[in-house]
Coordinates of all heavy atoms in Angstrom, one line a residue:
C27 N -55.4 16.0 -43.0 CA -55.2 14.6 -42.4 C -53.8 14.0 -42.3 O -53.1 14.2 -43.3 CB -56.2 13.6 -43.1 SG -57.9 14.0 -42.7
V28 N -53.5 13.5 -41.2 CA -52.3 12.8 -41.1 C -52.7 11.3 -40.6 O -53.8 11.0 -40.0 CB -51.3 13.4 -40.0 CG1 -50.9 14.8 -40.6 CG2 -52.0 13.6 -38.6
K29 N -51.7 10.4 -40.8 CA -51.9 9.1 -40.5 C -51.9 8.9 -39.0 O -50.9 9.3 -38.4 CB -50.9 8.1 -41.2 CG -51.2 6.6 -41.0 CD -50.2 5.9 -41.9 CE -50.5 4.4 -41.8 NZ -49.5 3.6 -42.7
T30 N -52.9 8.3 -38.4 CA -52.9 7.8 -37.0 C -53.2 6.4 -36.8 O -53.5 5.7 -37.8 CB -54.0 8.6 -36.2 OG1 -55.2 8.2 -36.6 CG2 -54.0 10.1 -36.5
P31 N -53.0 5.9 -35.6 CA -53.3 4.4 -35.4 C -54.8 4.0 -35.7 O -55.1 2.9 -36.1 CB -53.1 4.2 -33.9 CG -52.1 5.3 -33.6 CD -52.4 6.4 -34.4
S32 N -55.6 5.1 -35.8 CA -56.9 4.8 -36.1 C -57.5 5.1 -37.6 O -58.5 5.1 -37.8 CB -58.0 5.6 -35.1 OG -57.7 5.5 -33.8
G33 N -56.4 5.5 -38.3 CA -56.6 5.9 -39.8 C -56.3 7.4 -39.9 O -55.7 8.0 -39.0
L34 N -56.7 7.9 -41.0 CA -56.5 9.3 -41.2 C -57.4 10.3 -40.4 O -58.4 9.8 -40.1 CB -56.7 9.7 -42.7 CG -55.7 9.0 -43.6 CD1 -56.2 9.4 -45.2 CD2 -54.3 9.5 -43.4
A35 N -56.7 11.3 -39.8 CA -57.5 12.2 -39.0 C -57.1 13.7 -39.3 O -55.8 13.7 -39.3 CB -57.3 11.9 -37.5
P36 N -57.9 14.6 -39.3 CA -57.5 16.0 -39.4 C -56.7 16.4 -38.2 O -57.1 16.1 -37.1 CB -58.8 16.8 -39.5 CG -59.9 15.8 -39.3 CD -59.3 14.5 -39.2
T37 N -55.7 17.1 -38.4 CA -54.7 17.5 -37.3 C -54.5 19.0 -37.4 O -54.0 19.5 -38.4 CB -53.4 16.7 -37.4 OG1 -53.7 15.3 -37.5 CG2 -52.5 17.0 -36.3
S38 N -54.8 19.6 -36.3 CA -54.6 21.0 -36.2 C -53.1 21.4 -36.3 O -52.2 20.7 -35.8 CB -55.1 21.5 -34.8 OG -54.9 22.9 -34.6
G39 N -52.8 22.4 -37.1 CA -51.4 23.0 -37.3 C -50.7 22.3 -38.4 O -49.7 22.8 -38.8
Y40 N -51.2 21.2 -39.0 CA -50.5 20.4 -40.0 C -50.4 21.3 -41.2 O -49.2 21.3 -41.8 CB -51.2 19.1 -40.2 CG -50.5 18.3 -41.4 CD1 -49.4 17.8 -41.1 CD2 -51.2 18.2 -42.5 CE1 -48.8 17.0 -42.3 CE2 -50.6 17.4 -43.6 CZ -49.5 16.9 -43.4 OH -48.9 16.2 -44.5
V41 N -51.3 21.7 -41.8 CA -51.4 22.5 -43.0 C -50.4 23.7 -43.0 O -49.6 24.0 -43.8 CB -52.8 22.8 -43.6 CG1 -52.6 23.7 -44.8 CG2 -53.5 21.7 -43.8
E42 N -50.5 24.5 -41.9 CA -49.7 25.7 -41.7 C -48.2 25.3 -41.6 O -47.4 26.0 -42.2 CB -50.2 26.4 -40.5 CG -49.5 27.8 -40.3 CD -50.2 28.6 -39.3 OE1 -50.7 28.1 -38.3 OE2 -49.9 29.9 -39.4
T43 N -47.9 24.3 -41.0 CA -46.5 23.8 -40.8 C -46.0 23.4 -42.3 O -44.9 23.8 -42.6 CB -46.4 22.6 -40.0 OG1 -46.8 22.9 -38.6 CG2 -45.0 22.0 -39.9
I44 N -46.8 22.7 -43.0 CA -46.3 22.3 -44.4 C -46.1 23.6 -45.3 O -45.1 23.7 -45.9 CB -47.4 21.4 -45.0 CG1 -47.4 20.0 -44.2 CG2 -46.9 21.2 -46.5 CD1 -46.0 19.3 -44.1
L45 N -47.1 24.4 -45.2 CA -47.0 25.8 -46.0 C -45.7 26.5 -45.6 O -45.0 27.1 -46.5 CB -48.3 26.6 -45.9 CG -49.5 26.1 -46.5 CD1 -50.7 27.0 -46.1 CD2 -49.4 25.9 -48.0
S46 N -45.4 26.6 -44.4 CA -44.2 27.4 -43.9 C -42.9 26.7 -44.4 O -41.9 27.4 -44.5 CB -44.3 27.5 -42.4 OG -43.9 26.3 -41.8
M47 N -42.9 25.4 -44.7 CA -41.7 24.8 -45.2 C -41.5 25.0 -46.8 O -40.4 24.6 -47.3 CB -41.8 23.3 -44.8 CG -41.6 23.0 -43.4 SD -41.3 21.3 -43.0 CE -42.9 20.7 -42.9
L48 N -42.5 25.5 -47.4 CA -42.4 25.6 -48.9 C -41.8 26.9 -49.3 O -42.4 28.0 -49.2 CB -43.8 25.5 -49.6 CG -44.5 24.1 -49.3 CD1 -45.8 24.2 -49.9 CD2 -43.7 23.0 -50.0
S49 N -40.5 26.9 -49.6 CA -39.8 28.1 -49.8 C -40.3 28.8 -51.1 O -40.2 30.1 -51.1 CB -38.3 27.9 -50.0 OG -38.1 26.9 -51.1
A50 N -41.0 28.1 -52.0 CA -41.5 28.7 -53.2 C -42.6 29.8 -52.8 O -42.7 30.7 -53.5 CB -42.0 27.6 -54.1
L51 N -43.3 29.5 -51.7 CA -44.3 30.4 -51.4 C -43.8 31.8 -50.7 O -44.6 32.6 -50.5 CB -45.2 29.7 -50.3 CG -46.1 28.7 -50.8 CD1 -46.9 28.1 -49.6 CD2 -47.0 29.1 -51.9
K52 N -42.5 31.8 -50.5 CA -41.9 33.0 -50.0 C -41.2 33.9 -51.1 O -40.6 34.9 -50.8 CB -40.8 32.7 -49.0 CG -41.4 31.9 -47.8 CD -40.2 31.4 -46.8 CE -40.7 30.7 -45.6 NZ -41.4 29.5 -45.8
H53 N -41.5 33.5 -52.3 CA -40.9 34.3 -53.4 C -41.6 35.6 -53.5 O -42.8 35.8 -53.2 CB -41.2 33.5 -54.7 CG -40.5 34.1 -55.8 ND1 -40.9 35.3 -56.6 CD2 -39.3 33.7 -56.5 CE1 -39.9 35.5 -57.5 NE2 -39.0 34.5 -57.5
P54 N -40.7 36.7 -53.6 CA -41.2 38.1 -53.5 C -42.2 38.4 -54.6 O -43.1 39.4 -54.3 CB -39.9 39.0 -53.7 CG -39.0 38.1 -54.2 CD -39.2 36.6 -53.8
E55 N -42.3 37.7 -55.7 CA -43.3 38.0 -56.6 C -44.7 37.4 -56.4 O -45.6 37.7 -57.1 CB -42.7 37.8 -58.1 CG -41.6 38.6 -58.5 CD -41.2 38.3 -59.9 OE1 -41.8 37.7 -60.8 OE2 -40.0 38.6 -60.2
L56 N -44.8 36.5 -55.5 CA -46.0 35.9 -55.2 C -46.9 36.7 -54.2 O -46.2 37.5 -53.4 CB -45.8 34.5 -54.6 CG -45.3 33.4 -55.5 CD1 -45.1 32.1 -54.7 CD2 -46.3 33.2 -56.6
P57 N -48.1 36.6 -54.1 CA -48.9 37.3 -53.1 C -48.6 36.9 -51.8 O -48.2 35.7 -51.5 CB -50.3 37.0 -53.4 CG -50.3 36.4 -54.8 CD -48.9 35.9 -55.1
Q58 N -48.6 37.7 -50.8 CA -48.5 37.3 -49.4 C -49.7 36.5 -48.9 O -50.8 36.9 -49.3 CB -48.4 38.7 -48.6 CG -48.2 38.3 -47.1 CD -48.2 39.6 -46.3 OE1 -48.4 40.8 -46.8 NE2 -47.9 39.5 -44.9
Y59 N -49.5 35.5 -48.3 CA -50.7 34.7 -47.9 C -50.8 34.8 -46.3 O -49.9 34.9 -45.6 CB -50.6 33.3 -48.3 CG -49.6 32.4 -47.6 CD1 -50.1 31.7 -46.5 CD2 -48.4 32.1 -48.1 CE1 -49.2 30.8 -45.8 CE2 -47.5 31.4 -47.4 CZ -47.9 30.7 -46.3 OH -47.0 29.9 -45.6
H60 N -52.1 34.7 -45.9 CA -52.4 34.7 -44.6 C -53.2 33.3 -44.4 O -53.9 32.9 -45.2 CB -53.4 35.9 -44.2 CG -52.7 37.2 -44.5 ND1 -51.9 37.8 -43.6 CD2 -52.8 38.0 -45.5 CE1 -51.4 38.9 -44.1 NE2 -52.0 39.0 -45.3
F61 N -53.1 32.8 -43.2 CA -53.6 31.4 -42.9 C -54.5 31.5 -41.7 O -54.2 32.1 -40.7 CB -52.4 30.4 -42.7 CG -52.9 29.0 -42.5 CD1 -53.0 28.2 -43.6 CD2 -53.1 28.5 -41.3 CE1 -53.5 26.9 -43.4 CE2 -53.5 27.2 -41.1 CZ -53.8 26.4 -42.2
Y62 N -55.7 30.9 -41.9 CA -56.7 30.8 -40.8 C -57.1 29.4 -40.8 O -57.6 28.7 -41.8 CB -57.8 31.7 -41.1 CG -58.9 31.7 -40.0 CD1 -58.8 32.6 -39.0 CD2 -59.9 30.8 -40.0 CE1 -59.8 32.5 -37.9 CE2 -60.9 30.8 -39.0 CZ -60.8 31.6 -37.9 OH -61.7 31.7 -36.9
E63 N -57.1 28.8 -39.5 CA -57.5 27.4 -39.4 C -58.8 27.4 -38.5 O -58.8 28.0 -37.4 CB -56.5 26.6 -38.7 CG -56.8 25.2 -38.5 CD -55.6 24.4 -38.1 OE1 -55.3 24.3 -36.9 OE2 -54.9 23.8 -38.9
C64 N -59.9 26.7 -39.0 CA -61.0 26.7 -38.2 C -60.8 25.8 -37.1 O -60.1 24.9 -37.1 CB -62.2 26.2 -39.2 SG -62.5 27.3 -40.5
E65 N -61.7 26.0 -36.1 CA -61.7 25.2 -34.8 C -63.2 24.9 -34.4 O -63.9 26.0 -34.3 CB -61.0 25.9 -33.7 CG -61.0 25.2 -32.3 CD -60.3 23.9 -32.4 OE1 -59.3 23.7 -33.0 OE2 -60.9 23.0 -31.8
P66 N -63.6 23.8 -34.5 CA -62.8 22.5 -34.8 C -62.7 22.3 -36.3 O -63.4 22.9 -37.1 CB -63.7 21.4 -34.2 CG -65.1 22.0 -34.3 CD -65.0 23.5 -34.1
L67 N -61.8 21.4 -36.7 CA -61.6 21.2 -38.1 C -62.8 20.3 -38.5 O -63.1 19.4 -37.8 CB -60.2 20.4 -38.3 CG -59.0 21.2 -38.1 CD1 -57.7 20.3 -38.2 CD2 -58.9 22.3 -39.0
L68 N -63.4 20.5 -39.6 CA -64.5 19.8 -40.1 C -64.2 19.3 -41.5 O -63.8 20.0 -42.3 CB -65.7 20.7 -40.2 CG -66.3 21.1 -38.7 CD1 -67.4 22.2 -39.0 CD2 -66.7 20.0 -37.9
D69 N -64.7 18.1 -41.8 CA -64.6 17.6 -43.1 C -65.9 18.3 -43.8 O -66.9 18.6 -43.2 CB -64.8 16.0 -43.2 CG -64.7 15.5 -44.5 OD1 -65.7 15.5 -45.2 OD2 -63.7 15.1 -44.8
S70 N -65.7 18.6 -45.1 CA -66.8 19.2 -45.9 C -68.1 18.5 -45.9 O -69.1 19.0 -46.0 CB -66.3 19.6 -47.3 OG -66.1 18.4 -47.9
S71 N -68.1 17.2 -45.8 CA -69.2 16.3 -45.8 C -70.0 16.5 -44.4 O -71.1 16.1 -44.3 CB -68.9 14.8 -45.9 OG -68.1 14.4 -44.9
N72 N -69.3 17.1 -43.3 CA -70.0 17.4 -42.1 C -70.4 18.8 -41.9 O -70.8 19.2 -40.9 CB -69.1 16.9 -41.0 CG -68.8 15.4 -41.0 OD1 -69.7 14.7 -41.2 ND2 -67.6 15.0 -40.5
M73 N -70.2 19.6 -42.9 CA -70.5 21.1 -42.8 C -72.1 21.3 -43.1 O -72.7 20.6 -43.8 CB -69.7 21.9 -43.8 CG -68.2 22.0 -43.3 SD -67.4 23.2 -44.3 CE -65.9 23.3 -43.5
S74 N -72.5 22.3 -42.4 CA -73.8 22.8 -42.5 C -73.8 24.2 -43.1 O -72.7 24.8 -43.3 CB -74.5 22.8 -41.1 OG -73.9 23.8 -40.4
T75 N -74.9 24.8 -43.4 CA -75.1 26.2 -43.9 C -74.5 27.1 -42.9 O -74.0 28.2 -43.2 CB -76.6 26.5 -44.3 OG1 -77.4 26.3 -43.3 CG2 -76.9 25.8 -45.6
D76 N -74.7 26.8 -41.5 CA -74.1 27.7 -40.5 C -72.7 27.7 -40.6 O -72.1 28.8 -40.6 CB -74.5 27.2 -39.1 CG -76.0 27.3 -38.7 OD1 -76.7 28.2 -39.4 OD2 -76.4 26.6 -37.8
N77 N -72.0 26.7 -40.9 CA -70.6 26.6 -41.1 C -70.2 27.4 -42.4 O -69.3 28.3 -42.3 CB -70.0 25.3 -41.3 CG -70.2 24.4 -40.1 OD1 -70.8 23.3 -40.2 ND2 -69.7 24.8 -38.9
W78 N -70.9 27.4 -43.4 CA -70.6 28.1 -44.6 C -70.8 29.6 -44.3 O -70.0 30.4 -44.7 CB -71.6 27.7 -45.8 CG -71.5 26.3 -46.2 CD1 -70.4 25.4 -46.1 CD2 -72.5 25.5 -46.9 NE1 -70.7 24.2 -46.7 CE2 -72.0 24.3 -47.2 CE3 -73.7 25.8 -47.4 CZ2 -72.7 23.2 -47.8 CZ3 -74.4 24.8 -48.1 CH2 -73.9 23.6 -48.2
N79 N -71.9 29.9 -43.5 CA -72.1 31.3 -43.2 C -70.9 31.8 -42.3 O -70.4 33.0 -42.5 CB -73.4 31.6 -42.5 CG -74.4 31.5 -43.4 OD1 -74.4 31.7 -44.6 ND2 -75.6 31.0 -43.0
Q80 N -70.3 31.1 -41.3 CA -69.2 31.4 -40.6 C -68.0 31.7 -41.5 O -67.2 32.6 -41.2 CB -68.9 30.4 -39.6 CG -70.1 30.4 -38.5 CD -69.8 29.1 -37.6 OE1 -69.1 28.2 -38.0 NE2 -70.5 29.1 -36.4
L81 N -67.7 30.8 -42.5 CA -66.6 31.0 -43.4 C -66.8 32.3 -44.1 O -65.8 33.0 -44.4 CB -66.6 29.7 -44.3 CG -66.2 28.5 -43.7 CD1 -66.1 27.4 -44.7 CD2 -64.7 28.7 -43.1
A82 N -68.0 32.6 -44.7 CA -68.2 33.9 -45.3 C -67.9 35.0 -44.5 O -67.4 36.0 -45.1 CB -69.7 34.0 -45.8

Side-chain angles (χ1 to χ4, degrees):
C27 288
V28 297
K29 190 174 182 179
T30 70
S32 305
L34 294 175
T37 303
S38 183
Y40 175 69
V41 174
E42 187 171 22
T43 299
I44 296 301
L45 290 175
S46 71
M47 291 193 272
L48 297 174
S49 60
L51 293 179
K52 295 174 178 65
H53 192 281
E55 291 183 22
L56 288 178
Q58 179 181 8
Y59 75 88
H60 304 276
F61 186 82
Y62 181 89
E63 185 170 84
C64 296
E65 177 61 40
L67 293 173
L68 294 172
D69 187 276
S70 59
S71 64
N72 295 328
M73 285 192 176
S74 67
T75 53
D76 288 339
N77 298 120
W78 299 337
N79 289 329
Q80 290 170 346
L81 291 174

